[in-house]
Amino acid sequence: MEDPWQKAYDFAVAVARKAGAEIRKAGESEIRVMTKRSTVDLVTKTDERVEKIIIGSLKEEFGEGTHCFIGEESVAKGEPCILTDKPTWIIDPVDGTTNFVHGFPFVAVSIAFAVNKELEFGVVYSCLEDKMYKARKGKGAFCDDEPIQVSDVKDINKSIIISEHGTDRSPEKVTKIFSTMQKMLCIPVHGLRGSGTAATNMCLVATGAVEAFFEIGIHCWDIAAGAVIVREAGGILLDVDGGPFDLMSRRMVSANNETIAKRIIKEIEIFPVVRDDAP
Ligand code: IPD
């Protein structure tokens, strides 16, 4: 049977590369920083411009009516964030905006595509490192066209775990985040890390560089593409309470295997977040 989404997949890779080149160029000049929900939730003109470039190119190629778009900056401006059965692109133009602003060298373009609410493919272009991660459902995961695979570590004491603090700095949440980190360190794990971009963190799980990445407070556009890449590299995704992964729930554990995921879940102190698709 002819593969219905191959053209879309190839196009997504090309668009991600073009978007990454724009980000690199923009990083060479002065960056004007604005804030969104709080003083640490940063956004730049580049985020907005690159999202326009990506969505504009996709609309031109695939038509406006049949495909839907969920983009971080469009949602910030009031567009809906609802996943329907229609072919839907889920886009973070600049994942790691804080890194971008500070020149910390991990910034990614994240583009995912879902049909009937199922993720079909994901592309993460780590544009400062010039690494293209991609995966299609059932067809494996790749970095620069080389197959990638999660690590085979099952012993949590031999693992490296990634987590992030996000942008909500209310003292109760920060306390829970640090308490979880403390428990994790004292298991003990080999180390805790964080690249500052959820999409890249998931690719690090997929390559086997780390065993897991978890976070409460991320958004669907941060993790949709990475979710396909982790699964196709042999890893798993779960909710932080051990239930099934829910793209819109703003919480997730991605890991190399169930043993590691479940061990981490034991330590996570869950705090409430508002779903991406909340009315
Ligand atoms: C952020 C990054 C960060 C994660 C935050 C995200 P943004 O995305 O992925 O690693 O901790 O929760 O919001 O705002 O740079 O696109």
Side-chain angles (χ1 to χ4, degrees):
M1 201 181 83
E2 216 210 307
D3 183 342
W5 303 122
Q6 187 61 39
K7 184 179 157 218
Y9 182 43
D10 295 339
F11 195 79
V13 172
V15 170
R17 208 178 280 288
K18 183 165 104 179
E22 287 291 329
I23 295 169
R24 281 196 299 269
K25 205 163 75 193
E28 284 161 18
S29 34
E30 206 191 318
I31 301 167
R32 222 180 98 221
V33 188
M34 297 158 290
T35 57
K36 292 199 278 193
R37 291 168 216 93
S38 72
T39 55
V40 295
D41 189 5
L42 310 183
V43 66
T44 69
K45 284 281 163 211
T46 306
D47 296 64
E48 294 169 357
R49 200 165 51 80
V50 172
E51 181 160 315
K52 276 198 188 126
I53 293 173
I54 296 172
I55 296 184
S57 310
L58 294 170
K59 280 186 177 166
E60 208 175 293
E61 188 69 18
F62 300 105
E64 205 157 326
T66 46
H67 288 202
C68 299
F69 300 88
I70 296 174
E72 173 169 19
E73 306 317 328
S74 315
V75 172
K77 292 211 152 72
E79 290 288 320
C81 185
I82 309 284
L83 190 59
T84 66
D85 285 343
K86 278 189 170 184
T88 302
W89 296 87
I90 304 164
I91 299 149
D92 190 342
V94 181
D95 187 45
T97 302
T98 306
N99 289 354
F100 172 63
V101 166
H102 287 267
F104 191 77
F106 299 98
V107 176
V109 179
S110 176
I111 303 178
F113 184 67
V115 183
N116 295 322
K117 300 193 187 74
E118 256 210 58
L119 291 164
E120 286 290 330
F121 61 73
V123 174
V124 172
Y125 181 41
S126 181
C127 61
L128 304 185
E129 302 178 279
D130 188 21
K131 283 189 179 164
M132 180 67 76
Y133 297 95
K134 58 182 183 178
R136 275 210 63 185
K137 194 175 73 186
K139 303 212 164 175
F142 302 86
C143 176
D144 294 336
D145 292 326
E146 290 296 322
I148 52 175
Q149 183 74 44
V150 293
S151 102
D152 58 8
V153 169
K154 284 214 172 94
D155 181 352
I156 193 78
N157 300 117
K158 297 200 168 90
S159 69
I160 292 187
I161 308 299
I162 294 184
S163 193
E164 302 269 351
H165 330 112
T167 51
D168 187 334
R169 302 295 162 80
S170 57
E172 318 79 69
K173 289 186 183 167
V174 172
T175 303
K176 291 223 174 214
I177 290 169
F178 275 86
S179 167
T180 301
M181 301 275 199
Q182 183 180 3
K183 291 203 272 170
M184 214 70 76
L185 273 176
C186 295
I187 290 175
V189 294
H190 273 179
L192 294 180
R193 299 286 185 270
S195 76
T197 118
T200 304
N201 290 338
M202 295 179 88
C203 294
L204 292 170
V205 174
T207 59
V210 302
E211 276 59 48
F213 161 53
F214 70 92
E215 187 174 343
I216 301 176
I218 27 86
H219 294 276
C220 59
W221 45 80
D222 299 315
I223 57 169
V228 192
I229 295 169
V230 167
R231 274 191 186 132
E232 287 300 317
I236 67 156
L237 301 163
L238 287 175
D239 185 43
V240 290
D241 67 3
F245 168 66
D246 174 349
L247 181 62
M248 292 293 168
S249 69
R250 301 193 51 211
R251 36 191 246 181
M252 172 224 53
V253 176
S254 56
N256 60 335
N257 57 49
E258 202 176 348
T259 312
I260 294 284
K262 293 242 159 111
R263 183 64 190 85
I264 289 169
I265 284 166
K266 270 195 191 166
E267 309 296 346
I268 298 179
E269 295 203 14
I270 299 176
F271 53 84
V273 280
V274 179
R275 292 178 62 83
D276 273 333
D277 55 4

